[in-house]
Amino acid sequence: MKILISNLILYTSETREVVRASTIKDTMIYDLCLAFKKEGHDVTLLTAEDYKPTQNEEYPFKVIWAKSKYKKVFMPCVFPYCPETKKIAKDNFDLIISSEVISMSSLMLVKRAKDHTIIWQELSGHNKIYHGLISKFWYYVIAKLYFKDVVIVPRSNQAREFISQFCNKVVDETIEHGVNSEIFKPNTDKENFFAVCSRLVKLKHIDKTIKAFNKYIKKYNNDSKLYIIGDGDCEEKLKALVNELEINDNVIFTGRLYHKEIVRILSKAKAMLVYTSRDNNMLSIAESIALATPVITTTTPNQSIYIKSEKLGIVNDEWNEDDLYEISLNNDEYVNKCLKYSKTIPYEYKVKQFIDVYNKYLKGR
């Protein structure tokens, strides 16, 4: 099939000005496009030019870098407007997959190719930009006018509950984030350390993770290590906290790493630790479980529901040193649960799910 995948925002930006990365090959949407390509489909990725990498790259599928307009109003970091989408929508695609109902790109695509479009919905609540006014207007007015009969595939149960308030054709199938199975391969051989894989910013509450780990090594296992993978504006404060707690020998800051380097660490960790207070679907959680590495998390990420139900880790809004001990003590049990669940995470499986949705709801329209 000839497939267009529209995802204007390739990755989260911490500032209004998008900081361009050196590559897009470690983004979620790149791996999805790659999986469709490997299954023999003719794939085009539509994304905003603001996210074009700093280094020259070649891709096995077509990438359209659309120019953003009126950036002071339609900020590329949260709500880009790329008028070129109107022209691209007329290109006779068999299937269009577009991220989010609240998206100028999604609106332009459904207005011109509704019968061929699937909206892949991640958001499970109103966006807070401009005090939530744009979000409320979009869902209560735009969504009900233009998206009410569009096929919408949620990425979580929470997303389904939210978007079902405004749209009529939210399907029963759920398609979560996936991983590149050639990179993220399960490993049951774990070592005596935990890992954080996150932007080092305030809402991630890495300080709480460090404090819980400090209590764990003092109470249970003073030889254990904590790898903190990532960078961000809280990095120096976190390093100061580690120094204050006198656990420099136990905590290793790696800085930002690419996929293969992350795998080398995360695949051997007893658990990945998450203390976030504001996230929807975390790609790092999918990656961790794909590596057969359990997760200790708050209830904030949407994946917390199946982490708890499938026993892929521990879900607790105030998890502490005792939870670290529990997952360490019964690590084999948690790892084996992740190993079993990991078969549903690769993007090859997600591609099959999308094609099934296409055949069931769109084919022949």
Side-chain angles (χ1 to χ4, degrees):
M1 284 197 299
K2 186 177 180 181
I3 299 174
L4 174 69
I5 298 179
S6 173
N7 194 101
L8 297 188
I9 302 174
L10 282 182
Y11 47 83
T12 302
S13 176
E14 296 303 325
T15 61
R16 290 192 174 189
E17 194 71 29
V18 176
V19 179
R20 291 165 60 193
S22 60
T23 179
I24 68 165
K25 292 185 178 180
D26 60 353
T27 61
M28 174 273 295
I29 210 68
Y30 178 87
D31 284 335
L32 178 62
C33 292
L34 193 62
F36 271 107
K37 176 69 177 179
K38 288 177 179 177
E39 291 298 317
H41 300 286
D42 178 9
V43 182
T44 299
L45 170 61
L46 170 62
T47 190
E49 188 180 48
D50 308 79
Y51 295 85
K52 194 170 185 177
T54 55
Q55 67 182 23
N56 292 326
E57 292 187 315
E58 292 185 1
Y59 309 114
F61 47 83
K62 184 179 180 181
V63 178
I64 299 174
W65 301 100
K67 290 185 178 181
S68 302
K69 298 290 187 180
Y70 313 117
K71 295 184 182 182
K72 288 186 178 180
V73 177
F74 299 100
M75 293 183 292
C77 62
V78 289
F79 199 57
Y81 171 52
C82 302
E84 189 179 349
T85 304
K86 300 173 187 175
K87 179 181 177 182
I88 295 165
K90 299 177 181 179
D91 215 3
N92 295 320
F93 291 97
D94 298 302
L95 171 62
I96 297 171
I97 300 171
S98 185
S99 290
E100 305 302 333
V101 167
I102 184 168
S103 160
M104 290 296 294
S105 176
S106 292
L107 177 60
M108 288 183 275
L109 291 168
V110 300
K111 287 178 71 175
R112 288 157 182 82
K114 180 177 72 172
D115 290 343
H116 306 289
T117 300
I118 292 172
I119 303 298
W120 197 22
Q121 177 74 14
E122 178 178 9
L123 294 177
S124 55
H126 285 292
N127 195 305
K128 294 182 180 179
I129 60 171
Y130 298 114
H131 308 288
L133 296 177
I134 289 180
S135 181
K136 290 175 181 176
F137 170 77
W138 195 276
Y139 285 112
Y140 282 105
V141 179
I142 302 297
K144 289 187 175 183
L145 281 174
Y146 296 103
F147 292 83
K148 61 180 180 179
D149 295 320
V150 177
V151 173
I152 298 175
V153 178
R155 305 190 202 188
S156 66
N157 289 331
Q158 296 94 321
R160 173 181 289 102
E161 291 175 6
F162 174 71
I163 200 61
S164 294
Q165 300 174 72
F166 315 102
C167 303
N168 299 332
K169 212 158 188 178
V170 182
V171 303
D172 294 333
E173 294 82 354
T174 300
I175 303 179
E176 300 160 351
H177 286 162
V179 302
N180 186 331
S181 61
E182 293 184 3
I183 297 174
F184 292 91
K185 299 177 181 179
N187 174 33
T188 58
D189 184 18
K190 306 302 181 182
E191 298 180 9
N192 187 24
F193 67 84
F194 300 95
V196 168
C197 188
S198 168
R199 291 173 290 125
L200 307 187
V201 295
K202 188 175 180 180
L203 65 89
K204 299 292 187 176
H205 301 292
I206 311 296
D207 57 328
K208 288 187 176 183
T209 297
I210 291 171
K211 290 173 183 176
F213 176 72
N214 174 56
K215 291 180 179 179
Y216 169 75
I217 59 176
K218 299 287 173 59
K219 185 175 179 180
Y220 294 113
N221 186 346
N222 60 13
D223 292 326
S224 185
K225 307 287 185 183
L226 173 64
Y227 283 84
I228 298 179
I229 304 167
D231 58 11
D233 55 18
C234 289
E235 184 171 349
E236 293 307 314
K237 289 182 179 179
L238 296 172
K239 286 181 176 178
L241 174 61
V242 168
N243 187 58
E244 178 187 332
L245 295 172
E246 299 181 343
I247 53 173
N248 302 75
D249 292 339
N250 298 84
V251 180
I252 300 99
F253 289 87
T254 71
R256 184 178 179 182
L257 301 177
Y258 291 109
H259 274 162
K260 290 183 180 178
E261 298 166 303
I262 292 172
V263 167
R264 180 176 55 82
I265 298 171
L266 191 56
S267 66
K268 297 177 182 178
K270 287 187 175 181
M272 188 181 79
L273 310 181
V274 177
Y275 232 125
T276 184
S277 62
R278 197 182 73 192
D279 274 291
N280 288 298
N281 286 351
M282 293 179 63
L283 181 56
S284 59
I285 287 180
E287 292 170 346
S288 183
I289 295 170
L291 295 168
T293 297
V295 179
I296 298 181
T297 181
T298 60
T299 59
T300 300
N302 290 339
Q303 295 110 313
S304 65
I305 288 181
Y306 70 75
I307 289 173
K308 185 175 182 179
S309 65
E310 302 294 330
K311 297 182 180 179
L312 307 176
I314 294 172
V315 177
N316 182 351
D317 280 331
E318 298 294 335
W319 63 260
N320 57 31
E321 70 274 14
D322 297 328
D323 296 299
L324 291 173
Y325 179 67
E326 156 64 21
I327 211 159
S328 180
L329 187 66
N330 298 298
N331 203 237
D332 288 346
E333 180 183 345
Y334 288 106
V335 168
N336 287 331
K337 293 284 187 182
C338 291
L339 182 63
K340 182 179 179 181
Y341 194 86
S342 67
K343 297 174 184 178
T344 68
I345 297 179
Y347 270 118
E348 293 88 345
Y349 187 85
K350 308 303 175 184
V351 166
K352 181 181 181 301
Q353 288 182 293
F354 274 116
I355 297 302
D356 287 346
V357 169
Y358 167 80
N359 288 333
K360 186 174 180 179
Y361 299 100
L362 293 179
K363 191 174 183 180
R365 287 177 66 172

